[in-house]
Amino acid sequence: MMELPKIDNSNLWDKTYSILKDQIIRRCFSPNEKLAIPDLANKLGVSRTPVRDALNRLEMERLVKTVSKVGTFVVAIGSEDIKNIMDTRLMLEYWVIDKLCSVSKDVLQTGVNHMQDILDRSLQMIEVEPFHDYLKSDYNLAFHIEFMKLGQNRNNIDIYLKLMDYRFIMMKSSIVSSEMVKVAQAQHQAIVDAITNGSMEDIRKVIRLHLVDSEQRLLGAIHENGGTI
């Protein structure tokens, strides 16, 4: 039986939500697994009310689904979900590209430096860290968030972060391979180079190439995993 960490009484509702969300996106609960409120409340050491509130919030984020008179279940991710996520990511990253012409040179250079630093650390650590530990370091997300910061819109960054919840599921399910990571690293370098060279059209091309390629690789891996994760 899976153990869950007991929660202290400060910020009880937010902590209940955060723990359950973390357990769901890291696939400590299986896709389509039923989540029983009394059982979760007992394991967390809280009443049923904060658990019910947390599940309601998670349903709004489409991480769980409640079926009337049946129960609440962990939402599985399938091919259509990945396609929708990647479409939205592309839209948001294209929006950043459109904003680059109005970003000051100092802000742009600082962002590029941060992206290059993340990429350099990524290239170094993949050679020395166990692969699972490398994935947990989440260099991919850090790189894309630095890119999103160039658009200077906090709301869009928050949307992007929520979209990227699926990345934990990929890690837990061993969907992402070292070969996929190395291809992504090369594509990240192409993005940095395109921004440095200042061609908006080149930036659009390398962003699209990267996200379309990532989508196709993920779809293939999901297919091999039985169609959902």
Side-chain angles (χ1 to χ4, degrees), residues 13 17 51 72 74 76 106-107 110 115 142 171 182-183 193 217:
W13 289 37
Y17 159 79
V51 173
T72 300
V74 175
D106 288 343
V107 169
T110 298
M115 292 166 68
M171 296 174 195
K182 289 179 179 179
V183 169
D193 293 344
R217 290 173 184 275

Side-chain angles (χ1 to χ4, degrees), residues 108-141:
L108 184 62
Q109 188 60 54
T110 298
V112 169
N113 290 345
H114 287 166
M115 292 166 68
Q116 186 67 60
D117 180 62
I118 292 166
L119 178 57
D120 290 345
R121 283 187 283 121
S122 168
L123 291 166
Q124 178 182 8
M125 297 313 296
I126 196 171
E127 300 298 334
V128 297
E129 283 187 347
F131 188 60
H132 181 69
D133 291 342
Y134 170 85
L135 288 179
K136 286 168 63 177
S137 298
D138 224 350
Y139 295 106
N140 180 64
L141 175 65

Side-chain angles (χ1 to χ4, degrees), residues 62-74:
R62 300 182 182 178
L63 292 174
V64 302
K65 180 179 181 179
T66 300
V67 179
S68 179
K69 298 181 181 180
V70 179
T72 300
F73 300 85
V74 175

Side-chain angles (χ1 to χ4, degrees), residues 67-222:
V67 179
S68 179
K69 298 181 181 180
V70 179
T72 300
F73 300 85
V74 175
V75 171
I77 289 183
S79 298
E80 285 304 311
D81 299 299
I82 293 300
K83 291 176 183 177
N84 291 338
I85 288 168
M86 288 302 190
D87 280 349
T88 307
R89 286 184 62 187
L90 184 61
M91 178 187 71
L92 289 169
E93 296 204 23
Y94 269 16
W95 178 88
V96 172
I97 295 169
D98 289 340
K99 291 291 182 179
L100 290 182
C101 60
S102 62
V103 174
S104 72
K105 289 184 179 180
D106 288 343
V107 169
L108 184 62
Q109 188 60 54
T110 298
V112 169
N113 290 345
H114 287 166
M115 292 166 68
Q116 186 67 60
D117 180 62
I118 292 166
L119 178 57
D120 290 345
R121 283 187 283 121
S122 168
L123 291 166
Q124 178 182 8
M125 297 313 296
I126 196 171
E127 300 298 334
V128 297
E129 283 187 347
F131 188 60
H132 181 69
D133 291 342
Y134 170 85
L135 288 179
K136 286 168 63 177
S137 298
D138 224 350
Y139 295 106
N140 180 64
L141 175 65
F143 181 90
H144 283 278
I145 291 302
E146 284 299 329
F147 178 77
M148 286 299 302
K149 286 179 180 178
L150 292 174
Q152 299 179 310
N153 186 306
R154 183 68 246 180
N155 288 341
N156 283 352
I157 295 171
D158 289 342
I159 293 170
Y160 199 94
L161 282 168
K162 288 180 180 179
L163 283 172
M164 294 296 280
D165 281 342
Y166 81 90
R167 71 194 186 281
F168 292 116
I169 300 171
M170 302 299 180
M171 296 174 195
K172 181 64 178 179
S173 304
S174 301
I175 295 294
V176 176
S177 67
S178 58
E179 188 267 341
M180 289 170 68
V181 169
K182 289 179 179 179
V183 169
Q185 288 173 332
Q187 292 169 351
H188 284 176
Q189 186 63 65
I191 292 169
V192 171
D193 293 344
I195 297 172
T196 301
N197 293 334
S199 167
M200 297 299 110
E201 187 58 35
D202 286 348
I203 300 171
R204 283 179 173 270
K205 286 179 180 178
V206 294
I207 288 288
R208 174 174 283 279
L209 171 66
H210 175 50
L211 293 184
V212 170
D213 182 66
S214 296
E215 176 183 323
Q216 292 304 310
R217 290 173 184 275
L218 290 173
L219 290 175
I222 288 175

